Amino acid sequence: GNWKVSIITSDLPNAGTSSQIYIVLYGQRRSSAPIYLYGTDGARFQDGHEDIFTITVGDIGTLFKIRIGHTNSGLSPSWHCKEIQLWNMNSGNKFYIPVQRWLARDQEDGEICREFPVLNKGQPILPVTVYEVHVATGELWNAGTVANTDTFSLEAVHLGDLCKIVIGHDGLGPGNGWFLDDVVIKDPTTNHEYAFLCHRWLDQGEDDGKIVRELYARDNSIIFASEC
């Protein structure tokens, strides 16, 4: 169906952006592809301005969250978004999302892509969760680094029980092969830990040559892959 999207850039100093903005709509049935919000009449996403777009999205079902992000391109890529409004022009449903966040490498947590829940009448609003992700590199020769664990924070609308992750790399640069031991994700909302075992190469010259793998939760105390 057709959707109207209104995005208001904050009136903070240097809130506007030179980047290309995209949005992803997530429904109960499926998600849309990233939709780039292009303008034909001059600069978009400037301080204090509202930009309105009409987009076409397939049948995604009931909308429950969005993802908004940008390409970090141009001379002034940092962006502070004030709010987003969505209208489903077929059903008449309207959604309001108070953003009030930077999407900028040099502001807040450095993220240029964020997720926000959408409020549906009669439904609890989903919390935004900062997951703790521990990635362990194996201790094989030439595995990319010496055996070590790197820790990352990943902010997302709460995903519920985790069954599967997809992890990979871009395959660029010399010595890009990587031996991944495992990934452990901690959910602070439920205090659950999910272990995703790999113990394989992500290397075009090793194993089966894949540099992207799907991993399934293998923690006996929480989830079995067969339950997913």
Side-chain angles (χ1 to χ4, degrees):
N2 290 327
W3 291 73
K4 187 173 284 188
V5 182
S6 162
I7 297 181
I8 298 179
T9 297
S10 303
D11 57 5
L12 298 175
N14 303 313
T17 182
S18 56
S19 292
Q20 295 177 342
I21 304 295
Y22 65 88
I23 191 169
V24 183
L25 277 56
Y26 290 82
Q28 299 291 354
R29 291 195 183 96
R30 62 178 64 89
S31 65
S32 74
I35 300 166
Y36 282 85
L37 303 174
Y38 295 109
T40 58
D41 54 352
R44 296 280 186 167
F45 307 110
Q46 300 306 299
D47 301 9
H49 285 204
E50 178 183 23
D51 295 291
I52 298 175
F53 308 86
T54 299
I55 62 175
T56 300
V57 177
D59 182 12
I60 61 172
T62 303
L63 182 70
F64 70 92
K65 75 174 180 178
I66 66 159
R67 179 179 293 174
I68 188 87
H70 64 73
T71 55
N72 201 44
S73 55
L75 296 175
S76 53
S78 298
W79 182 45
H80 194 281
C81 180
K82 182 179 181 182
E83 65 183 61
I84 298 171
Q85 296 184 53
L86 300 164
W87 294 269
N88 185 323
M89 297 165 71
N90 299 90
S91 69
N93 291 335
K94 295 184 178 182
F95 305 92
Y96 168 72
I97 300 148
V99 178
Q100 294 287 8
R101 297 287 300 273
W102 280 103
L103 287 81
R105 292 294 190 211
D106 58 354
Q107 298 284 348
E108 289 190 34
D109 56 6
E111 293 296 328
I112 58 172
C113 171
R114 297 194 186 281
E115 291 190 353
F116 296 95
V118 169
L119 180 62
N120 284 298
K121 288 183 179 178
Q123 299 292 324
I125 192 163
L126 296 169
V128 175
T129 301
V130 180
Y131 292 91
E132 192 176 295
V133 182
H134 302 268
V135 180
T137 296
E139 200 172 0
L140 295 184
W141 177 81
N142 210 22
T145 60
V146 187
N148 73 311
T149 299
D150 296 295
T151 302
F152 307 89
S153 294
L154 177 64
E155 182 181 282
V157 171
H158 193 256
L159 297 167
D161 288 335
L162 301 183
C163 298
K164 179 181 80 171
I165 64 171
V166 178
I167 189 165
H169 61 82
D170 58 15
L172 300 177
N176 61 65
W178 179 37
F179 189 85
L180 172 61
D181 218 355
D182 62 49
V183 178
V184 175
I185 299 178
K186 296 182 179 180
D187 179 350
T189 304
T190 62
N191 280 330
H192 282 176
E193 263 188 30
Y194 302 89
F196 300 87
L197 305 183
C198 182
H199 205 69
R200 294 185 70 176
W201 284 97
L202 284 78
D203 187 340
Q204 291 163 336
E206 297 280 355
D207 202 335
D208 58 4
K210 292 183 177 179
I211 59 173
V212 177
R213 297 195 182 279
E214 292 186 355
L215 307 178
Y216 291 85
R218 297 282 297 279
D219 191 324
N220 293 340
S221 64
I222 301 167
I223 290 179
F224 295 94
S226 60
E227 295 177 17
C228 299

